[in-house]
């Protein structure tokens, strides 16, 4: 039984945290497996949620789209978003995926970088193929790497 105690009317900065205490109370009173959902942003949240709720499993939606390595363990949490996006785009060549899905996942994974490089965003909007999105992702990597190499103004 999946249970999400997040308030979906309040998202983003005004988000109300999920109430894991409610999930724990439900788990204590049912005999079916309980899957907790809400407030899962990093792998540490997975472990903390399982401990606090005693749920049989954990799921995530929004944050998993931003970080596909979310459930891959603590050591995988620092994999750069650009690496994840390129890996994802390579997988999309092997496992055909609708372009709209691919584009949406790219925007979720690369959102922080696209905010820092808004001039590149339109290319992602206008891309007509997975190959174009892959080349744009590689161009974004060059822009990010180039910005990192420039010393900060003093």
């Amino acid at each position: 039984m999946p249970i999400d105690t997040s308030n979906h009317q309040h998202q983003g900065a005004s988000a109300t945290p999920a109430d894991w205490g409610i999930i724990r109370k439900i788990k204590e009173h049912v005999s079916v497996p309980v899957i907790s959902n809400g407030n899962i942003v990093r792998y540490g949240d997975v472990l903390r949620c399982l401990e606090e709720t005693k749920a049989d499993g954990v799921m995530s939606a929004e944050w998993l789209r931003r970080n596909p390595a979310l459930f891959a363990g603590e050591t995988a949490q620092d994999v750069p978003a650009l690496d994840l996006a390129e890996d994802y785009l390579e997988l999309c060549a092997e496992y055909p995926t609708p372009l709209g899905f691919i584009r949406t996942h790219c925007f979720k994974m690369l959102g922080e970088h696209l905010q820092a490089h808004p001039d590149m965003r339109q290319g992602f909007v206008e891309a007509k193929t997975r190959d174009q999105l892959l080349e744009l992702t590689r161009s974004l990597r060059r822009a990010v790497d180039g910005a990192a190499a420039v010393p900060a103004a003093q």
Side-chain angles (χ1 to χ4, degrees):
M1 170 186 342
I3 303 171
D4 184 351
T5 58
S6 301
N7 182 341
H8 294 281
Q9 293 177 359
H10 302 286
Q11 296 183 356
S14 66
T16 304
D19 187 342
W20 289 351
I22 291 173
I23 295 171
R24 185 177 184 134
K25 286 179 182 174
I26 292 170
K27 174 64 182 162
E28 291 169 355
H29 290 91
V30 299
S31 59
V32 298
V34 170
I35 309 299
S36 179
N37 186 24
N39 292 69
I40 306 300
V41 176
R42 298 190 54 82
Y43 185 71
D45 298 332
V46 173
L47 301 177
R48 193 167 52 86
C49 179
L50 289 170
E51 177 64 30
E52 290 184 24
T53 65
K54 304 301 182 203
D56 299 286
V58 174
M59 63 185 278
S60 179
E62 185 64 25
W63 286 97
L64 187 59
R65 292 174 70 193
R66 294 178 191 200
N67 175 13
L70 179 67
F71 290 108
E74 198 62 49
T75 58
Q77 297 310 295
D78 295 322
V79 175
L82 287 158
D83 290 350
L84 292 171
E86 281 193 42
D87 289 349
Y88 170 70
L89 289 163
E90 294 292 345
L91 286 169
C92 289
E94 191 173 339
Y95 304 98
T97 306
L99 185 64
F101 292 3
I102 297 172
R103 186 187 333 274
T104 299
H105 284 289
C106 286
F107 276 117
K108 292 292 183 181
M109 284 186 272
L110 301 174
E112 184 177 315
H113 294 305
L114 288 170
Q115 284 182 347
H117 299 277
D119 54 308
M120 302 201 67
R121 184 177 177 82
Q122 193 61 33
F124 281 84
V125 170
E126 294 173 358
K128 303 280 189 236
T129 67
R130 181 212 62 96
D131 289 339
Q132 288 175 339
L133 288 169
L134 180 58
E135 185 49 45
L136 286 162
T137 300
R138 290 176 175 156
S139 295
L140 181 59
R141 178 187 297 279
R142 289 189 292 276
V144 168
D145 290 348
V150 175
Q154 295 186 3

